[in-house]
Amino acid sequence: MRRMKKHLPLIILLFGILQPLSGALAPALGIGTPIGNATRDMTLPEQPLPVFFSIWSVIFLGYFLFGLAYWQAREPWMDRIAIPLAWAGLFNIVWMLSAQLIASQPLDFLLLFPIAIAAWIAAWRADSLREMGWSPKKALADFASAMLSGWITVAVAISIPLTLRTFTDIGATDFPWHMLWITLVTACLAAWMFARYISRSCWYFIALAWGVIGIVLNNWLVTGMHWLAIMSAIVLSITICLRLFRGADGSVIPV
């Protein structure tokens, strides 16, 4: 364990490189099934447009830049953020490989939770540093952990209907309102928990909003279910307004 902790900056840098490479295994090398193929052209009402998954590139960049800053000048507080981020990166690699090589929706759904737990712990620890002053490195740690936390929330929320369909005979466009509400309620409850108990970071809500905007546009432009798009936009607006005008407590509230 001590040896691993000693090389933690290099581990974060390595995972920062391996995560995007792992996700490109199928499309680049033709090994397995591309991650997006499972839902492509299914017109699922709770899914964002495919282009919105490009946020992964921003998350990977933030993760890598934190690792680079950590490696160049290691500060004591960075270890506390790096440990859960390393676990999040490792589980993300496992998830991406599983999604391509095994392609089992129930398994992929379960593998999202270790990523989410590790990312939320990193965000919680990053938030606790606010009382110790601001620095560019702390801002980078906040960005990397909160963005990953927000997008994993979206990933979990949109995966629940997908997983339900694998255990039933429900089709892609069956019960669209039910499936959409499952996704929106899950995302909103998670957002409340994150703001109340984990972090005051706005980056979480930016990542979450990006995902929901993708759902809005998917229903407006692709599925043609305009009322679903309108309701998604209303729910997102309420969630963002609550964060902006009611604020957040973050790590100051004991968990």
Side-chain angles (χ1 to χ4, degrees):
M1 184 62 71
R2 287 183 181 178
R3 190 177 185 128
M4 188 184 88
K5 192 172 181 179
K6 179 182 177 182
H7 298 291
L8 201 51
L10 290 177
I11 291 173
I12 294 292
L13 275 175
L14 180 62
F15 286 168
I17 296 171
L18 288 179
Q19 286 180 87
L21 291 180
S22 299
L25 187 68
L29 301 179
I31 301 173
T33 305
I35 294 174
N37 276 14
T39 58
R40 188 167 283 118
D41 301 324
M42 290 182 66
T43 62
L44 300 171
E46 75 282 353
Q47 293 288 309
L49 287 174
V51 68
F52 280 78
F53 289 89
S54 62
I55 193 176
W56 275 119
S57 61
V58 178
I59 294 170
F60 292 149
L61 179 62
Y63 190 104
F64 177 79
L65 290 177
F66 172 75
L68 189 62
Y70 185 31
W71 176 69
Q72 287 180 332
R74 187 171 186 171
E75 298 178 18
W77 64 265
M78 300 177 85
D79 290 344
R80 298 191 71 245
I81 312 296
I83 291 172
L85 273 185
W87 283 111
L90 175 61
F91 284 121
N92 202 16
I93 291 170
V94 172
W95 177 81
M96 288 185 177
L97 293 177
S98 171
Q100 294 169 95
L101 301 178
I102 302 175
S104 168
Q105 177 55 41
L107 176 60
D108 294 342
F109 177 63
L110 290 176
L111 288 175
L112 288 172
F113 286 91
I115 306 172
I117 292 169
W120 280 38
I121 290 173
W124 180 75
R125 291 181 177 182
D127 189 73
S128 67
L129 297 171
R130 290 173 183 266
E131 318 306 327
M132 301 166 57
W134 184 91
S135 73
K137 290 182 181 179
K138 290 178 182 177
L140 191 55
D142 175 59
F143 175 82
S145 58
M147 284 287 285
L148 178 57
S149 297
W151 186 248
I152 286 297
T153 295
V154 175
V156 170
I158 65 178
S159 294
I160 296 175
L162 282 175
T163 306
L164 289 174
R165 290 188 185 97
T166 63
F167 294 108
T168 64
D169 58 356
I170 297 175
T173 56
D174 293 338
F175 305 110
W177 279 103
H178 302 75
M179 295 303 177
L180 180 68
W181 276 117
I182 288 172
T183 296
L184 294 178
V185 170
T186 300
C188 290
L189 284 176
W192 173 80
M193 290 179 61
F194 188 87
R196 183 76 173 89
Y197 298 109
I198 303 299
S199 173
R200 289 157 283 185
S201 176
C202 288
W203 290 116
Y204 175 92
F205 284 85
I206 290 173
L208 185 76
W210 178 258
V212 179
I213 291 171
I215 294 173
V216 171
L217 293 178
N218 178 55
N219 283 302
W220 193 266
L221 300 175
V222 178
T223 70
M225 302 179 186
H226 292 168
W227 279 111
L228 272 68
I230 293 169
M231 185 53 64
S232 299
I234 291 173
V235 170
L236 174 61
S237 299
I238 292 172
T239 303
I240 297 300
C241 286
L242 286 173
R243 171 62 184 86
L244 291 176
F245 299 113
R246 295 293 298 273
D249 299 308
S251 63
V252 298
I253 302 296
V255 178

